[in-house]
């Protein structure tokens, strides 16, 4: 477990000081993927760099599995850093070294013998999906492949924790997805704790279990991804949720897709953490004499199941529709009947 207690960082300037991180306290559980989201200048990079002391804190503590990182001397810090891997937005690879040599670098520093090193590098190359690229130079790789090298290098010494500073921000959406899938994969396979910072809410939606929202150096809101998505409190959090879910629903009864409907009813199904939304719809269609049409929907998959709303047009006998609605409600999916005409 990682415990962060009243962590602060002030950058002293000649004209004024900048409080980049302001009394952050957080607990991050072993094996979870914890996201920190915030706009540019919120203090995210400073915060994550305080965790492995690439930046020295002005006040507060960070402890990992009970060891206080903030008071370690240089030598002890070097050892403890082997337990904390880090990846960066711009990869930070060694350009004159091949893929294999980049990944071997932290193992050389750790003093591993050559044959052990080679064996470990081969394992890592296959783990991150870079087989066949061992002897390529970074300049010959795509952005996604470069980040895979960064991930392999960060994992070389079997760290307990992986820190990711905007690791997908330089990548296109498809490549971002493939790197996020790789992070989920290593989180599950290795039980690695991952802390990632980002300004993109879909990154949080896709891979995090818990999230904290950062503004002006402070954590202004935190919780499970589903809770934060379904009940965002702060204006900044609402804006981030809108990035992936769109504006919250206004009254849809005036929408043309509702107004044009003459028979049956329009239902809004709200999913929070369901894993089986498709199965539910097909079960309703099979079990009840009703016709179902999906008219609009916005459902996102999170690590804790599906989240979002689906609008259905349901036709059939009134009584049967009522039964179908009761059935859907019994599965814990919220159902709202939308007025029309
Ligand atoms: N080395 C430094 N010296 C002085 N001020 C700094 C230093 N590093 C960061 N800052 C300031 O601290 C604040 C937080 O910066 P930080 O880089 O942590 O933000 P960020 O959330 O990572 O932003 P971005 O999304 O743009 O990467 C900013 O006001 C920045 O100017
Ligand atoms: Mg940053």
């Amino acid at each position: 477990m990682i415990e962060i207690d009243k962590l602060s960082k002030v950058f002293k300037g000649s004209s004024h000081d900048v409080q980049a991180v302001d009394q952050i306290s957080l607990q991050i559980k072993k094996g979870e993927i914890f996201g920190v989201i915030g706009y540019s200048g919120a203090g995210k990079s400073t915060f994550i760099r305080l965790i492995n002391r690439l930046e020295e804190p002005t006040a507060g503590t960070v402890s990992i599995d009970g060891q206080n990182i903030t008071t370690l001397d240089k030598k002890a810090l070097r050892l403890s850093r082997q337990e904390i891997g880090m990846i960066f937005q711009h990869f930070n690879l060694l350009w004159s070294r091949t893929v294999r040599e980049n990944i071997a670098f932290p193992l050389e520093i750790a003093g591993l013998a050559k044959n052990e090193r080679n064996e470990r590098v081969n394992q890592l190359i296959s783990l991150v999906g870079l087989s066949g690229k061992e002897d390529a130079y970074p300049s010959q790789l795509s952005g996604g492949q470069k980040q895979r090298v960064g991930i392999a290098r960060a994992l070389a010494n079997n760290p307990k924790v992986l820190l990711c500073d905007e690791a997908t921000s330089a990548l296109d959406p498809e490549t971002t997805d493939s790197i996020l899938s790789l992070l989920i994969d290593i989180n599950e396979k290795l039980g690695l704790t991952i802390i990632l910072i980002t300004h993109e809410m879909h990154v949080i939606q896709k891979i995090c279990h818990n999230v904290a929202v950062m503004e002006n150096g402070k954590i202004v809101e935190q919780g499970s991804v589903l809770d934060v998505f379904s009940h965002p409190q702060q204006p900044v959090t609402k804006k981030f949720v809108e990035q992936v879910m769109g504006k919250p629903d206004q009254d849809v009864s005036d929408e043309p897709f509702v107004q044009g409907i003459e028979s049956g009813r329009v239902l809004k199904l709200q999913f929070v953490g369901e894993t089986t939304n498709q199965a539910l719809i097909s079960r309703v269609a099979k079990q009840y004499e009703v016709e179902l049409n999906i008219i609009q929907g916005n459902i996102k998959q999170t690590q804790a199941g599906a989240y979002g709303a689906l609008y259905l047009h349901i036709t059939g006998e009134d009584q049967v529709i009522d039964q179908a609605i009761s059935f859907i409600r019994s599965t814990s999916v919220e159902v709202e009947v939308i007025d029309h005409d």
Side-chain angles (χ1 to χ4, degrees), residues 29-314:
K29 287 195 290 288
K30 205 179 180 66
E32 78 169 312
I33 306 183
F34 192 99
V36 177
I37 188 163
Y39 287 111
S40 186
K44 306 181 296 294
S45 293
T46 308
F47 167 67
I48 206 164
R49 291 162 62 84
L50 289 170
I51 297 176
N52 59 359
R53 276 177 61 192
L54 283 181
E55 215 60 85
E56 288 294 338
T58 311
T61 57
V62 176
S63 45
I64 301 183
D65 289 343
Q67 184 183 44
N68 185 348
I69 303 291
T70 26
T71 52
L72 297 177
D73 63 23
K74 274 211 173 114
K75 194 169 158 222
L77 179 62
R78 244 196 325 272
L79 276 179
S80 127
R81 277 214 187 116
Q82 294 189 354
E83 314 236 286
I84 314 173
M86 184 159 185
I87 56 174
F88 304 86
Q89 179 174 3
H90 298 295
F91 323 119
N92 294 13
L93 302 180
L94 299 163
W95 294 90
S96 60
R97 286 179 159 235
T98 62
V99 166
R100 180 188 294 287
E101 290 163 351
N102 264 281
I103 301 171
F105 188 60
L107 299 169
E108 286 167 30
I109 292 178
L112 236 71
K114 192 163 181 199
N115 55 345
E116 286 176 78
R117 226 155 58 205
N118 285 342
E119 197 177 317
R120 179 75 185 131
V121 170
N122 289 338
Q123 282 171 357
L124 289 159
I125 283 178
S126 98
L127 178 71
V128 301
L130 278 176
S131 300
K133 294 285 175 194
E134 294 83 346
D135 299 316
Y137 286 90
S139 60
Q140 299 169 313
L141 300 176
S142 70
Q145 290 165 339
K146 285 179 199 146
Q147 196 56 289
R148 285 171 193 268
V149 179
I151 292 170
R153 184 186 56 184
L155 297 180
N157 286 313
N158 276 313
K160 293 188 224 163
V161 183
L162 179 66
L163 306 177
C164 312
D165 186 348
E166 302 271 6
T168 56
S169 299
L171 305 175
D172 63 54
E174 220 167 287
T175 313
T176 293
D177 266 3
S178 76
I179 293 295
L180 295 178
S181 299
L182 175 61
L183 291 176
I184 293 175
D185 191 43
I186 57 180
N187 164 257
E188 287 172 356
K189 266 196 199 139
L190 311 176
L192 189 74
T193 308
I194 299 181
I195 305 178
L196 66 86
I197 61 171
T198 180
H199 61 275
E200 293 171 308
M201 199 61 169
H202 73 264
V203 171
I204 302 282
Q205 170 229 315
K206 183 159 177 187
I207 80 164
C208 294
H209 304 109
N210 286 296
V211 59
V213 182
M214 202 171 168
E215 195 176 31
N216 296 325
K218 293 190 173 70
I219 300 294
V220 294
E221 187 162 353
Q222 63 166 308
S224 77
V225 168
L226 276 179
D227 276 351
V228 170
F229 268 71
S230 45
H231 304 288
Q233 305 291 321
Q234 300 296 323
V236 58
T237 313
K238 289 180 181 163
K239 264 167 89 182
F240 278 122
V241 173
E242 276 174 25
Q243 271 186 7
V244 284
M245 301 308 298
K247 294 250 181 225
D249 295 328
Q250 280 96 23
D251 183 7
V252 291
S253 53
D254 293 337
E255 296 275 347
F257 71 78
V258 175
Q259 283 304 306
I261 284 167
E262 285 172 359
S263 62
R265 277 177 257 176
V266 175
L267 307 181
K268 177 187 178 186
L269 273 53
Q270 183 78 46
F271 295 89
V272 182
E274 258 59 42
T275 46
T276 53
N277 51 72
Q278 263 131 14
L280 174 67
I281 308 293
S282 62
R283 263 182 78 187
V284 172
K286 271 195 203 128
Q287 275 179 23
Y288 300 91
E289 287 258 318
V290 290
E291 285 258 356
L292 289 168
N293 260 312
I294 295 177
I295 39 188
Q296 182 170 298
N298 187 11
I299 305 249
K300 302 284 184 220
Q301 298 300 326
T302 76
Q303 285 272 44
Y307 171 73
L310 193 63
Y311 290 90
L312 292 179
H313 179 208
I314 183 167

